[in-house]
Amino acid sequence: MSALRMGRRLPRRTVPRALMALGALVAIGFVAVNVAIGYVVIDGRLDGQWYDVRDLGIGVQELREWLDDRNAQQPGILDFLGQHWISYAVTALLGATGILSIVGGALLILIWVERRLIGRMQIRRGPNRVGPYGLLQPIADAVKLIQKEVLMPRGADKVLFFLPPALIFIPMIVAWGPIPWGAQMAYLDVHVGILFLIAVSSLTTLAIFMAGWSSNNHYALLGAMRTIAMMISYEIPLSIALLSVVLLSGSMQLSTIVEWQSTHNVWLAALLPLAMFTYFFSSTAELNRTPNDIAEAESEIVAGFHTEYSGMKFGLFYAVELGNALFVAALTATLFLGGWSLFGLEEWIPGYLILGAKISAAYFLLVWLRGTLPRFRLDQLMKFAWQFLIPLSLLNLLIVAVEASVFARWEVKGIVSLGLFAIVNWAAAIILVREWARRMGYRPEREAVRQPILTQGVGGLQAARRLGAPEMGTQV
Amino acid sequence: MPAGPRQLSGEAVAAPVAAAVPDAILRATDEWVEVRPERIADVLRFLHDDADLDARQLSNLCAVDRHDRFEVVYHLQSLDRNHQIVVKAIVGEHDEPSLPSATAVYKGALLQEREVYDLMGVRFEGHPDLRRMFLWEGYPGFPLRKDFLQIPEHHPGLPKFPFEESGVQAR
Amino acid sequence: MTAATEPYVLNIGPQHPSTHGVFRLRVVMDGERIQDVEMVVGYLHRSMEKLAEERTYTQNIPFTDRADYLAAMSGNLGYCLAVERLAGVEVPERASYLRVIFAELQRIASHSMANGTFVNDAGAWQTPLMYMFRERERILDLFEMTCGARLTTNYMRIGGVAFDPPEEFYPAIESLVDELPERIEEYAELLVDNEILLARGRGVGIISAEDAINGSLVGPMLRGSGVPWDLRKAEPYCGYDRFDFEIPVGRQGDAYDRFLVRLEEVRQSTKIIRQALDGLPSGPHKTQIPLALRPDPGEAYARVEGPRGELGFYVVSDGGSAPFRFHIRAPSLINLSLLREMAIGASLPDAIVALGSVDIVVGEIDR
């Protein structure tokens, strides 16, 4: 053994046992407190509608009513803003603070989680220097980013360059409003929840285009143009996929969709596989995650629309990227994986923990994709959207529409008809994907896996012709 | 004895070339053939097209400054017959050397001739894009020449960054 | 109504993730389509050829490390062969075997890097690169054991090699050579059939066999275009004719073929190393040469099949102790002769993949 090898060996245990024990204790305590609260909640020890201290939505509603009452008694000086302005302002601030603290906290952990996970996938350790297991790395990153100088390129449009980091943050926060974290635990449980989400998440594009245009940089502009093209293409299959969810569950309200899944004891993922795939794939396209991260394709256009941003402005873009990924995971979990319900287990475990677990699973899938796959080309992605996803999701929508009307009219036992639907939809998904791909000219069996020719002799052009190697210019 | 293990001797190359391109060959040693510089493109064309010599690839092109003259050395390669041919063109002029370009015959000469022009100052007439490559337009002298250090006005090295005030933009 | 777009100039580099160094492309683009491309190099020009004229033959070996810094061993080897040919120095048998072993190790390391960065250029998020670095890291460890350096090895000497490998070298290389085949299969499983890589690599940057020969392309570029040309077979140096290996040749001449050729060459190199280890003779590892070697006036051009292709060294002596002229035939630079043919008309992502498949090393382009 050389000294070299000896020096390589790191001390095995870098974290003391006491610290690990402390962490375990904290975790157990957290779970115990939650179970206790859940027990109290479900048992109804706190009576009345105001039964959950963590219930943001109802708390906000209570507050608004109380404020309205007060306001009606004492007219204020700002009444020209409308009758309820103070209650709306206060509740909005409260809700935004709540979401921001939850999502912000999650982001801090997620940065670490993603880097650790990708590190593991790439046979590295990932961040492990700042704090125990490198847990403080995101904070160190944030401190570094805040300290860095924020540059503005010469020739940039100053106003438009200044706005996007803030503008892009708003849709990310607002979109979290309708997500139900438990029974009656949504901050903004609007009746047209899905419509609201589609509308809000499209706003991100505007900020991205502003950033790309105002940077006065070709890379940024290319990234922005690509984003627009992707958004136009993928918004359609995404909306159609969500529409089939709406058709089957009969509601646009997210809490109702979760309750539908809970009462029928089924996940929509089992019923609508194609819709789920379409939604997930389109979302990765809109999120700029691999394999569809063409808008900020690092190897081509450096960083896309945020090439020119530095310091904490870049940090905001980065955070929004992660936050949007987390949001897509949350929406997938809510719409397709049963949300906060888990086949009756939600009576024993608080709903937000269940949802959190599902979000983590969906998020892990996103990280996994990123750690594994190369990237598509722009035109390939466009082609995939227009020639494949849109027709397929339209056909799927047709099938689901028929099923939904059957489900609404016939009073069969839910388990029978839903089981039938599941079988029909899975079969339809497999057949549709297969046949449509073949229609588009995908013939995997016709092309053998290409292997280089092996030869012993050397030569030039004549030898090349003899080997019959280059069928040049043949399009593949 | 030719230097390379699979190198054709100069005499073996000279005979067919002399038959095809008259008064192009100046000298043939057992290692290389010396060609009249103004005929070099024709000779290369013949070597490239001839079935026996079959020099399909220009494997190396470089120039040597011999104080009073420049040797431009072409290492040609036949892949099918697996032999190497060395051709030299000796340009007597030392201040403004020039000779025909090989780019019409070999696309591989595009960058190599640019490099030779950049560092040695040998002009290749007919090269489509003969510009400085590693150094910038307006760099004083050609650094691989033996007399580079004796250029009176310009001390080698950079007094300041090249585009600092001249406004000259490298293309 | 017609819509027209205006061409614009995009500077790719000198600092760009896909140019692998300080290499710059001026690209005239119309939307995402490339209309014209021009390379701007020289950011890393260190004037090696001029510097070498002031140093003795042995002192010049470190320059060859720094030319192609990803394949220092091949550079060392090519230069030493040229000087040996010039001065008529004989090399002991054991030195030849050691040279083969280290040159092939270097080829594996360099090809791993090339394939990893190629997949990176195609958009993967570092993962294949990291896996390929695992093997490269072990190879660099072997280099470090033997000559104390990992990248700039400065290992070959005129008339042999600098050091005999230490005792612990042999078990380490044995285990590496045993494990390599299955590791390569692992990568092949991950990448060769990857649908996205196929979509990105096939039909991109096609070069026909004729163009490849005429454009002086060498190495995996030439072989990817279907020309079975490998100097280890064509002009065996260091006794490569003793070893049994095959030349991989591409079928269509596109970027994906070059990737496949490099992957296969790693397999073949493993075979060569195994044979060389089995036949490694004992004896001296270098011949003594005078400290200030003064070859007779003359010239020599020696080339080796480096990882990027024919790496040639043209050395002219005037009888002095320093070379009169020292020229490196740099495959990285000359492989770019057909850059315009590959890039014009392609879209930006395709051009990046095509450039990635050329496998340039800027230290060698600029020298």
Side-chain angles (χ1 to χ4, degrees):
Chain A
M1 263 297 167
S2 69
L4 180 91
R5 291 251 162 241
M6 306 280 280
R8 268 301 145 73
R9 195 167 291 156
L10 291 169
R12 295 293 298 169
R13 190 162 295 283
T14 44
V15 180
R17 269 176 197 283
L19 210 59
M20 291 172 71
L22 195 70
L25 266 182
V26 168
I28 292 169
F30 180 71
V31 171
V33 167
N34 270 301
V35 168
I37 292 173
Y39 180 72
V40 168
V41 169
I42 291 151
D43 241 20
R45 296 287 164 82
L46 300 170
D47 57 327
Q49 201 188 21
W50 173 249
Y51 64 87
D52 193 333
V53 280
R54 295 151 298 153
D55 186 339
L56 210 54
I58 290 170
V60 161
Q61 206 176 340
E62 291 277 326
L63 183 69
R64 194 161 62 216
E65 277 162 16
W66 179 72
L67 281 169
D68 277 349
D69 287 347
R70 260 187 74 106
N71 210 25
Q73 290 158 12
Q74 302 173 331
I77 42 168
L78 287 170
D79 273 357
F80 62 89
L81 287 170
Q83 205 185 347
H84 305 294
W85 71 271
I86 189 161
S87 49
Y88 279 118
V90 168
T91 49
L93 271 179
L94 208 63
T97 317
I99 293 175
L100 201 60
S101 52
I102 293 168
V103 174
L107 282 183
L108 279 183
I109 300 168
L110 275 182
I111 293 174
W112 179 82
V113 167
E114 172 155 1
R115 290 179 61 178
R116 273 304 263 219
L117 276 177
I118 288 199
R120 283 299 145 113
M121 287 174 195
Q122 298 178 344
I123 47 171
R124 307 183 273 122
R125 298 205 168 175
N128 63 353
R129 281 289 173 269
V130 193
Y133 297 106
L135 264 170
L136 299 181
Q137 184 68 41
I139 294 167
D141 284 349
V143 169
K144 182 200 75 173
L145 282 176
I146 288 171
Q147 284 176 340
K148 285 184 99 168
E149 186 186 359
V150 177
L151 298 169
M152 183 174 298
R154 197 184 299 163
D157 188 321
K158 292 204 166 42
V159 179
L160 287 188
F161 188 78
F162 183 76
L163 282 178
L167 277 189
I168 202 170
F169 217 82
I170 296 168
M172 196 268 280
I173 296 296
V174 174
W176 280 93
I179 301 282
W181 289 86
Q184 301 192 41
M185 244 182 102
Y187 166 60
L188 190 70
D189 200 7
V190 282
H191 293 288
V192 286
I194 287 184
L195 200 62
F196 175 80
L197 288 182
I198 292 174
V200 164
S201 59
S202 307
L203 285 178
T204 313
T205 324
L206 196 64
I208 289 178
F209 193 66
M210 277 166 74
W213 178 258
S214 64
S215 294
N216 193 26
N217 177 324
H218 287 314
Y219 289 123
L221 188 58
L222 276 175
M225 302 288 276
R226 287 177 171 196
T227 309
I228 300 289
M230 293 274 279
M231 191 61 92
I232 288 171
S233 307
Y234 277 93
E235 200 78 332
I236 301 167
L238 190 145
S239 307
I240 295 174
L242 292 184
L243 205 56
S244 51
V245 172
V246 173
L247 273 179
L248 202 58
S249 63
S251 172
M252 278 199 179
Q253 197 170 11
L254 292 183
S255 57
T256 318
I257 294 174
V258 173
E259 262 156 34
W260 189 90
Q261 300 182 61
S262 168
T263 48
H264 291 91
N265 271 326
V266 69
W267 287 0
L268 276 173
L271 292 179
L272 303 168
L274 198 59
M276 178 167 170
F277 169 74
T278 311
Y279 172 72
F280 205 73
F281 191 87
S282 308
S283 300
T284 55
E286 296 206 349
L287 281 177
N288 293 323
R289 305 274 303 189
T290 13
N292 306 332
D293 58 338
I294 55 164
E296 45 195 75
E298 193 210 357
S299 62
E300 293 152 23
I301 50 173
V302 189
F305 58 90
H306 62 72
T307 306
E308 289 289 358
Y309 285 90
S310 58
M312 202 53 210
K313 288 189 173 182
F314 162 75
L316 282 178
F317 279 115
Y318 188 72
V320 168
E321 207 181 305
L322 277 174
N324 278 337
L326 191 66
F327 170 70
V328 163
L331 201 57
T332 312
T334 305
L335 294 182
F336 295 101
L337 301 180
W340 49 264
S341 72
L342 194 69
F343 308 119
L345 213 60
E346 66 267 20
E347 290 185 16
W348 303 99
I349 304 172
Y352 57 88
L353 285 188
I354 297 177
L355 185 65
K358 287 176 179 173
I359 292 176
S360 311
Y363 186 73
F364 176 74
L365 193 60
L366 283 171
V367 176
W368 194 5
L369 284 178
R370 186 175 190 193
T372 319
L373 292 177
R375 181 190 309 122
F376 282 112
R377 211 168 53 206
L378 178 65
D379 55 320
Q380 287 164 345
L381 270 185
M382 295 292 138
K383 204 173 153 188
F384 188 72
W386 290 100
Q387 296 194 347
F388 197 85
L389 276 186
I390 292 179
L392 276 196
S393 51
L394 276 173
L395 284 174
N396 191 50
L397 185 68
L398 191 71
I399 297 172
V400 175
V402 172
E403 285 172 359
S405 69
V406 167
F407 189 67
R409 279 172 185 74
W410 283 2
E411 287 296 326
V412 198
K413 265 190 93 177
I415 186 84
V416 177
S417 53
L418 287 181
L420 208 63
F421 291 167
I423 295 168
V424 168
N425 280 341
W426 275 97
I430 292 167
I431 293 170
L432 275 179
V433 168
R434 205 180 140 77
E435 290 308 310
W436 201 274
R438 293 179 73 82
R439 253 185 77 83
M440 291 287 117
Y442 179 70
R443 298 269 191 285
E445 72 277 359
R446 233 188 248 172
E447 301 168 8
V449 179
R450 209 201 286 176
Q451 284 295 336
I453 305 166
L454 292 174
T455 169
Q456 289 277 355
V458 293
L461 204 54
Q462 289 169 16
R465 297 232 169 88
R466 206 163 49 238
L467 285 172
E471 304 124 21
M472 298 303 166
T474 46
Q475 266 314 316
V476 267
Chain B
M1 248 316 269
R6 302 200 61 103
Q7 186 176 331
L8 289 190
S9 77
E11 290 94 347
V13 180
V17 174
V21 190
D23 66 270
I25 304 289
L26 289 178
R27 196 151 64 96
T29 70
D30 57 356
E31 285 188 36
W32 37 266
V33 190
E34 189 193 330
V35 174
R36 197 183 292 279
E38 46 280 13
R39 303 301 303 274
I40 185 73
D42 302 332
V43 172
L44 290 178
R45 167 61 68 191
F46 169 74
L47 288 171
H48 177 270
D49 291 344
D50 188 72
D52 288 329
L53 295 169
D54 186 53
R56 290 304 179 94
Q57 192 173 46
L58 173 68
S59 102
N60 182 31
L61 191 166
C62 67
V64 184
D65 182 3
R66 295 277 185 186
H67 296 293
D68 56 343
R69 61 186 193 277
F70 284 99
E71 285 178 18
V72 182
V73 189
Y74 299 80
H75 287 89
L76 308 175
Q77 181 70 45
S78 161
L79 302 173
D80 272 320
R81 299 184 177 271
N82 193 5
H83 60 237
Q84 198 182 18
I85 299 168
V86 184
V87 177
K88 283 188 181 182
I90 296 180
V91 188
E93 164 74 34
H94 194 267
D95 291 333
E96 290 277 320
S98 85
L99 75 167
S101 163
T103 46
V105 189
Y106 299 109
K107 272 187 218 153
L110 279 169
L111 291 178
Q112 307 194 48
E113 286 185 351
R114 256 182 88 183
E115 187 192 335
V116 171
Y117 166 69
D118 185 11
L119 301 177
M120 277 289 190
V122 179
R123 294 200 65 87
F124 291 91
E125 305 300 334
H127 188 289
D129 187 28
L130 196 67
R131 285 182 286 118
R132 289 274 176 141
M133 184 152 68
F134 299 132
L135 306 170
W136 53 95
E137 295 295 337
Y139 184 87
F142 301 99
L144 274 186
R145 286 190 183 181
K146 292 285 177 190
D147 59 358
F148 177 64
L149 294 179
Q150 281 108 51
I151 295 175
E153 298 278 316
H154 307 287
H155 191 271
L158 290 179
K160 56 172 70 103
F161 192 71
F163 315 129
E164 218 166 28
E165 50 186 41
S166 64
V168 182
Q169 277 292 328
R171 263 198 60 200
Chain C
M1 199 184 97
T2 54
T5 54
E6 199 176 314
Y8 60 96
V9 176
L10 183 71
N11 266 308
I12 300 180
Q15 275 102 32
H16 185 279
S18 294
T19 51
H20 310 303
V22 278
F23 175 77
R24 176 173 155 212
L25 290 173
R26 277 179 94 256
V27 186
V28 181
M29 304 226 300
D30 178 15
E32 291 250 349
R33 193 100 356 224
I34 292 178
Q35 288 187 337
D36 196 5
V37 60
E38 178 200 12
M39 60 176 221
V40 182
V41 294
Y43 294 94
L44 206 60
H45 183 56
R46 288 150 297 174
S47 186
M48 283 181 187
E49 297 184 3
K50 186 76 176 175
L51 287 171
E53 290 173 10
E54 303 289 327
R55 280 153 182 77
T56 67
Y57 285 93
T58 310
Q59 281 174 337
N60 280 333
I61 298 175
F63 287 136
T64 62
D65 296 334
R66 274 113 182 129
D68 182 350
Y69 43 73
L70 292 183
M73 287 286 185
S74 309
N76 291 171
L77 177 58
Y79 174 69
C80 291
L81 284 179
V83 178
E84 282 156 14
R85 189 170 289 169
L86 187 66
V89 178
E90 287 296 320
V91 180
E93 192 77 339
R94 183 176 173 81
S96 278
Y97 270 84
L98 285 174
R99 284 175 169 190
V100 167
I101 290 173
F102 280 99
E104 294 304 318
L105 282 176
Q106 185 75 76
R107 186 187 318 278
I108 296 174
S110 176
H111 278 350
S112 300
M113 183 95 175
N115 278 342
T117 48
F118 170 72
V119 184
N120 244 17
D121 287 348
W125 212 74
Q126 313 280 351
T127 307
L129 185 69
M130 285 292 167
Y131 275 84
M132 303 216 176
F133 259 46
R134 177 173 57 177
E135 268 60 64
R136 182 168 181 269
E137 204 59 23
R138 292 183 63 180
I139 290 171
L140 296 188
D141 282 350
L142 290 176
F143 288 178
E144 189 179 358
M145 265 180 217
T146 311
C147 57
R150 291 158 67 81
L151 280 175
T152 51
T153 54
N154 190 15
Y155 178 58
M156 314 276 177
R157 289 286 184 278
I158 299 159
V161 295
F163 315 101
D164 228 2
E167 276 305 304
E168 62 264 30
F169 174 84
Y170 298 102
I173 193 173
E174 287 284 344
S175 74
L176 176 67
V177 173
D178 287 342
E179 282 173 31
L180 259 178
E182 63 190 76
R183 290 286 166 81
I184 298 164
E185 290 321 309
E186 205 179 311
Y187 307 143
E189 211 169 294
L190 177 68
L191 297 173
V192 168
D193 249 352
N194 189 322
E195 204 65 47
I196 302 179
L197 198 65
L198 287 175
R200 290 301 304 278
R202 280 195 298 192
V204 171
I206 293 182
I207 294 177
S208 71
E210 265 170 339
D211 276 352
I213 294 173
N214 194 260
S216 296
L217 301 196
V218 286
M221 291 286 284
L222 187 61
R223 291 192 282 277
S225 291
V227 184
W229 180 254
D230 190 319
L231 286 170
R232 291 175 294 172
K233 287 275 188 200
E235 195 187 289
Y237 52 92
C238 291
Y240 263 109
D241 41 358
R242 284 179 292 224
F243 306 118
D244 171 42
F245 64 100
E246 284 166 317
I247 311 172
V249 170
R251 286 170 196 267
Q252 265 157 350
D254 52 17
Y256 181 65
D257 261 340
R258 287 164 216 146
F259 165 75
L260 284 183
V261 163
R262 289 200 179 96
L263 204 61
E264 182 60 37
E265 276 182 19
V266 174
R267 290 196 187 108
Q268 300 295 336
S269 291
T270 318
K271 266 171 76 180
I272 297 176
I273 295 173
R274 163 59 59 207
Q275 294 170 46
L277 277 177
D278 290 344
L280 185 64
S282 53
H285 64 274
K286 69 173 173 186
T287 41
Q288 280 300 326
I289 55 155
L291 198 58
L293 187 69
R294 290 173 194 275
D296 294 333
E299 60 184 57
Y301 177 68
R303 59 247 177 102
V304 293
E305 184 73 28
R308 270 153 277 282
E310 176 182 337
L311 176 62
F313 287 86
Y314 180 64
V315 185
V316 180
S317 161
D318 62 348
S321 61
F324 183 73
R325 173 86 170 96
F326 169 72
H327 174 72
I328 306 175
R329 184 235 186 260
S332 285
L333 173 69
I334 300 170
N335 278 349
L336 287 171
S337 298
L338 297 183
L339 180 68
R340 285 169 59 93
E341 273 80 348
M342 286 198 291
I344 290 178
S347 67
L348 180 65
D350 280 351
I352 295 287
V353 167
L355 182 69
S357 71
V358 178
D359 183 24
I360 54 171
V361 171
V362 180
E364 193 181 47
I365 291 179
D366 290 351
R367 276 161 289 151

